[in-house]
Amino acid sequence: MLNVDNSGFSDALVILGAAGIVIPAFTRFRISPVIGFILVGVLVGPAGLGALVGDYPWLYHVTISDPHAIEPFAEFGVILLLFAIGLELSFKRLWALRQLVFGVGVAELLVSGLLLGIGIHLLGQSWGGAIGLGLALALSSTAIVLPIAGTTSPVGRAAFAMLLFEDVALVPIIFLLGAISPMAVDDGVGSLLRVILLGGVVITVLIVAGRYLVPQLFAQAARTKSPELFLAASLLVVIVASLATSVVGLSPIVGALIAGMMIAETEYHTEVEAITAPFRGLALGVFLITVGMRLDLRLVAMNWTTLLGAILAVMLVKVAVTTALLKLNGVRTGTAAETGVLMASPSETTLIVLGVAAGADLILPSTAAFWTTVTAIGLTITPLLAKAGQIISRTIENQSNEGEPVPEITPEGPGTVVIGFGRVGRTVADMLKAHDLPYTAVDADIDNVTAARRNGYHVLFGNVTRSEFVDMLNLGRATALVLTMDDPVLTVRLTRRVRNWVPDLPVITRARDSNHAAELYKAGATDAVPETLESSLQLSEAVLIDLGIAAGPVIASIHDKRDQMRKSIMNAAGLEREPRLRVNRLSDVQS
């Protein structure tokens, strides 16, 4: 029989409640789930509602009674995060990042640690403690930064490279603090060399096993066609690899990263990533809850000026160092600044280093508690720093543009205006250029705009949600407006607004499906192209032809299906004329 008074049961109830109720509510209001999980931790932790359990026993069931009991699950969340990152990597891509990892990564950690250490020493801390605190605060959060930035964008690549070195450097930092401890009795250098040697052996064994054994393991699991067995094989690989690196003294997340990279070289990586995603999200949520549980709002309120000064000082040093190093390494100013702001907060591994420094008598327990609070606050505001970094980056790039000429709209008009310059917008621009038709493209992603300009496209940077910017496009003199953004709500809103301004302007829009197309026609679109429907028709045509059906009946059935779609859209939009859905093949035109 299930015992509701069991602490494990009540803790699981709180975690699942946060994941299933609280986080969707935050998402609905466009608040980062990272902040949501952390705030849940503040609320249900020992400094929140947990402090009232003695007066109100029923709160026991909605609070986490033993914070230390869920810490292993929190660590597992970070392990699965690094495993997922490894799945997106390859050894070739990692080698391409070597300059950022061992160049900027090394310099960022050492320079930031040195400057912070000097500043802390000037405030009265001993040199040993200042070194420990400086290195601890110089670390940045892998668990929060990478889900925000990813690993493929310019900011994500730079952040990942530095974070990867920081994770690897965690073990040497711990050994360094042990060596300079007043209680040091062991040969710290000898122990470090032993870990490096054993770690190299283990990593080599993991790579060899990943090349020859892992594909066989997943092949057997795949033959059973059992999702449970495939999931078990995936978790087995990541846990064994993490334990192997942990046993020899390396961080378990190093093993998780290697495990992901091993599977990334196989044909099973997509399935592994999909099947482990729910566990990764939930376990990472547990980690974020533990971060929130470290925050005592009463303590923060009592010492808010000191804490604010400490947080700002740490962030300013890290922003300046990271931005300068990336700029020196050839990274664009806006990207460098955005990366610096994103990585300005301390890390979850900062908490580990603080514990080691306190255990080695390098800092007092009260000092460790103060910087733990600073770290927890920093982790909490990291999503806000990400937004601030994006704004700063856009401002810098929009003002300077690195000296590149900014396209202008000629007095004759902008030609065809293409809003949204992703995959679809670029294709439209290519076709317009092929027929010598003038166009002006607009996009809100400065990196996308810069890359497009270098390739010879006429692209403006701007945000079309601002009516004053849309006015500057001079749509009254435009020949057509093409909306290719992957934002259904904005597309409808902009279509309606432009139709009211310029009644005779042809407005051609990208639609997700027939329902979205109907909305766009109601808003005033001249033509709305439902991309999913057209791709499904093309796929159906290819299937029927390959199955041996004669081309004539196939084309006729495709036409019939498209007519059904037209009538469906007409009825939904209340149109008097049939909407034009594009034809797929030359054969359609000829027929």
Side-chain angles (χ1 to χ4, degrees):
M1 182 176 177
L2 193 61
N3 183 6
V4 295
D5 292 326
N6 181 277
S7 62
F9 176 76
S10 64
D11 292 349
L13 181 64
V14 172
I15 293 168
L16 293 175
I21 300 175
V22 178
I23 302 309
F26 274 80
T27 304
R28 181 177 180 83
F29 292 102
R30 298 186 178 181
I31 301 175
S32 170
V34 172
I35 297 178
F37 274 116
I38 292 176
L39 292 181
V40 167
V42 174
L43 181 65
V44 304
L49 294 178
L52 304 176
V53 171
D55 299 328
Y56 305 96
W58 61 270
L59 287 175
Y60 172 84
H61 301 292
V62 292
T63 59
I64 296 179
S65 54
D66 186 5
H68 298 290
I70 67 171
E71 287 180 354
F73 299 99
E75 184 177 2
F76 189 54
V78 180
I79 288 173
L80 287 179
L81 171 65
L82 267 294
F83 175 64
I85 291 169
L87 289 173
E88 298 178 359
L89 283 175
S90 63
F91 289 102
K92 181 179 180 181
R93 184 182 172 198
L94 188 61
W95 178 252
L97 290 172
R98 65 190 183 278
Q99 184 176 354
L100 281 173
V101 175
F102 298 105
V104 178
V106 173
E108 185 272 333
L109 179 61
L110 295 180
V111 174
S112 296
L114 177 63
L115 293 177
L116 290 170
I118 291 174
I120 293 172
H121 175 69
L122 294 177
L123 295 175
Q125 182 69 51
S126 66
W127 271 115
I131 291 173
L133 289 172
L135 291 173
L137 297 170
L139 300 170
S140 299
S141 175
T142 301
I144 297 181
V145 168
L146 289 184
I148 293 174
T151 60
T152 56
S153 66
V155 173
R157 285 194 298 270
F160 172 71
M162 291 183 284
L163 290 169
L164 179 60
F165 177 78
E166 290 179 3
D167 291 335
V168 173
L170 180 61
V171 173
I173 290 173
I174 292 174
F175 275 100
L176 173 64
L177 298 184
I180 64 177
S181 168
M183 306 183 301
V185 294
D186 192 14
D187 180 11
V189 177
S191 299
L192 177 59
L193 293 176
R194 183 165 59 253
V195 169
I196 293 174
L197 177 62
L198 292 175
V201 173
V202 167
I203 291 174
T204 302
V205 171
L206 288 176
I207 292 174
V208 173
R211 185 174 181 84
Y212 297 104
L213 300 181
V214 170
Q216 298 298 324
L217 172 66
F218 280 102
Q220 293 297 326
R223 290 190 184 100
T224 66
K225 297 183 179 180
S226 170
E228 295 81 6
L229 188 58
F230 204 87
L231 173 62
S234 304
L235 296 178
L236 175 66
V237 170
V238 64
I239 291 174
V240 168
S242 300
L243 288 176
T245 54
S246 181
V247 165
V248 298
L250 293 175
S251 171
I253 61 180
V254 175
L257 181 68
I258 294 174
M261 294 175 64
M262 292 188 302
I263 297 176
E265 302 291 336
T266 71
E267 63 269 34
Y268 306 104
H269 69 278
T270 303
E271 178 66 18
V272 171
E273 183 176 7
I275 206 168
T276 57
F279 293 87
R280 180 175 70 251
L282 188 58
L284 192 58
V286 176
F287 162 75
L288 295 170
I289 289 175
T290 62
V291 171
M293 293 168 65
R294 295 175 183 270
L295 275 176
D296 186 340
L297 296 182
R298 286 168 296 199
L299 181 63
V300 172
M302 292 170 56
N303 302 277
W304 71 271
T305 52
T306 307
L307 289 169
L308 179 61
I311 293 170
L312 290 177
V314 170
M315 290 182 177
L316 287 174
V317 170
K318 294 178 70 175
V319 168
V321 171
T322 303
T323 302
L325 290 173
L326 288 173
K327 183 63 179 172
L328 290 174
N329 200 57
V331 177
R332 294 179 62 82
T333 304
T335 301
E338 183 178 351
T339 308
V341 174
L342 177 62
M343 297 185 63
S345 294
S347 168
E348 61 278 359
T349 51
T350 299
L351 305 174
I352 298 175
V353 179
L354 289 175
V356 172
D361 278 351
L362 292 172
I363 59 176
L364 296 174
S366 58
T367 303
F370 173 81
W371 288 109
T372 295
T373 303
V374 170
T375 301
I377 296 174
L379 290 170
T380 304
I381 65 175
T382 298
L384 303 179
L385 293 177
K387 293 293 184 183
Q390 293 171 4
I391 294 172
I392 293 171
S393 173
R394 290 173 182 173
T395 302
I396 292 173
E397 296 289 1
N398 198 29
Q399 290 178 350
S400 64
N401 260 323
E402 304 289 353
E404 295 180 4
V406 178
E408 295 181 355
I409 298 176
T410 61
E412 292 78 17
T416 297
V417 176
V418 181
I419 297 181
F421 206 71
R423 170 179 49 86
V424 178
R426 188 179 295 260
T427 301
V428 172
D430 287 336
M431 297 305 298
L432 291 170
K433 288 173 64 177
H435 292 274
D436 296 324
L437 295 173
Y439 73 92
T440 299
V442 178
D443 200 275
D445 186 334
I446 187 61
D447 293 320
N448 198 20
V449 170
T450 302
R453 288 178 186 170
R454 289 175 177 171
N455 291 327
Y457 292 98
H458 187 267
V459 187
L460 297 176
F461 170 74
N463 187 351
V464 293
T465 61
R466 295 188 296 110
S467 57
E468 59 269 23
F469 177 78
V470 178
D471 289 339
M472 293 173 57
L473 295 176
N474 197 9
L475 293 177
R477 292 181 175 272
T479 54
L481 173 64
V482 184
L483 304 180
T484 71
M485 313 93 70
D486 190 19
D487 187 336
V489 176
L490 177 59
T491 306
V492 172
R493 186 184 304 139
L494 190 58
T495 299
R496 183 177 294 111
R497 185 186 305 169
V498 171
R499 179 56 66 217
N500 291 332
W501 289 344
V502 194
D504 298 328
L505 178 69
V507 179
I508 302 93
T509 64
R510 169 188 180 185
R512 284 192 174 180
D513 51 32
S514 57
N515 292 331
H516 186 213
E519 287 187 59
L520 289 166
Y521 279 117
K522 288 180 181 177
T526 308
D527 289 293
V529 180
E531 56 182 10
T532 56
L533 298 181
E534 289 298 333
S535 62
S536 65
L537 288 176
Q538 288 187 21
L539 180 62
S540 301
E541 180 181 353
V543 169
L544 294 171
I545 292 295
D546 290 342
L547 289 176
I549 307 298
V554 170
I555 294 173
S557 63
I558 294 294
H559 277 309
D560 290 341
K561 188 64 178 177
R562 187 177 286 111
D563 287 339
Q564 294 177 22
M565 293 177 179
R566 287 194 183 102
K567 292 176 181 178
S568 174
I569 295 174
M570 280 182 63
N571 294 333
L575 296 177
E576 296 180 358
R577 65 174 180 87
E578 286 194 355
R580 288 187 292 174
L581 299 183
R582 65 181 178 84
V583 293
N584 289 322
R585 304 280 178 102
L586 181 60
S587 56
D588 292 357
V589 178
Q590 294 172 341
S591 64

